[in-house]
Amino acid sequence: MPEQQKTPTPRFCKQLTLIVATIFIAGVTATLIQYNKLPASIPILQSFKSEHAQFGPKIAIFYLPFIGFMLFLLLHYLEMKAAYPILRKNKPTLSHTQRQNGIITFCLIKNSILLYFTYSLFNDLTVALGHNRILQQWHAYLFLFIVSTIFIMGIVRGIMLGKKENKVK
């Protein structure tokens, strides 16, 4: 019964994860290299009006990347768990294509989140060194739009795959 076997992760997800993780490591490394040049107090929370809302110690530059990395690990775990069929009461297990859709959705969301937090790290480093923010307040809106689009596309694709498989049966 092939439906009960593990669904392999698509190759592009593995490659995308490797690329995004490399970018994240490069961002953390660049910040570590520039760490001694940072002032003792840096802007850590900014409003949507491009104002500095709060200042904190320079170690705070690593708070958001740490949270982003923890989210990345959580979503990576969920991506791995999505590959295995789960027995559900009164419902058939998800098909191979439905599980693969879940894997792809988790892969895209986790990598988008890590990229966003890497961008935020570069942005915070830039501001702390006395330069202007890269995209001003628009980066948060852009990130929310991208993640929402990925999430909605994953749901819609999952519904369409379910309908297609019901027609075949």
Side-chain angles (χ1 to χ4, degrees):
M1 193 180 254
E3 296 247 349
Q4 299 302 321
Q5 295 176 358
K6 178 187 177 213
T7 301
T9 301
R11 197 169 103 191
F12 88 90
C13 280
K14 293 177 183 178
Q15 294 169 341
L16 180 63
T17 301
L18 181 65
I19 291 168
V20 170
T22 303
I23 293 170
F24 178 76
I25 291 169
V28 171
T29 304
T31 305
L32 287 171
I33 291 169
Q34 296 292 323
Y35 188 75
N36 289 332
K37 295 179 183 176
L38 295 175
S41 180
I42 62 169
I44 56 169
L45 182 64
Q46 297 177 347
S47 70
F48 282 103
K49 298 178 184 176
S50 297
E51 300 166 356
H52 303 301
Q54 190 175 4
F55 286 81
K58 67 181 181 177
I59 192 71
I61 200 163
F62 293 107
Y63 292 172
L64 283 177
F66 178 75
I67 292 169
F69 185 66
M70 291 296 114
L71 284 171
F72 176 82
L73 291 177
L74 173 67
L75 289 168
H76 185 72
Y77 171 76
L78 292 174
E79 177 188 328
M80 290 186 324
K81 293 301 276 182
Y84 294 95
I86 298 173
L87 297 176
R88 304 179 304 169
K89 285 185 178 180
N90 304 324
K91 291 185 179 180
T93 59
L94 295 176
S95 69
H96 169 77
T97 53
Q98 289 172 323
R99 289 193 311 263
Q100 194 167 42
N101 181 56
I103 292 169
I104 291 169
T105 302
F106 278 123
C107 173
L108 292 175
I109 289 174
K110 79 173 182 183
N111 286 304
S112 298
I113 287 173
L114 195 61
L115 269 179
Y116 175 74
F117 281 101
T118 304
Y119 161 78
S120 293
L121 176 63
F122 280 123
N123 198 32
D124 292 345
L125 182 62
T126 302
V127 170
L129 292 173
H131 304 287
N132 291 330
R133 292 171 71 185
I134 300 168
L135 288 178
Q136 301 303 324
Q137 73 271 17
W138 297 106
H139 65 90
Y141 298 122
L142 182 62
F143 169 71
L144 289 173
F145 175 75
I146 290 170
V147 170
S148 299
T149 302
I150 292 168
F151 190 69
I152 290 168
M153 287 174 54
I155 291 172
V156 169
R157 185 170 184 252
I159 292 170
M160 291 172 54
L161 287 171
K163 287 182 180 180
K164 182 179 176 183
E165 289 175 0
N166 286 339
K167 285 182 183 179
V168 172
K169 291 179 182 180

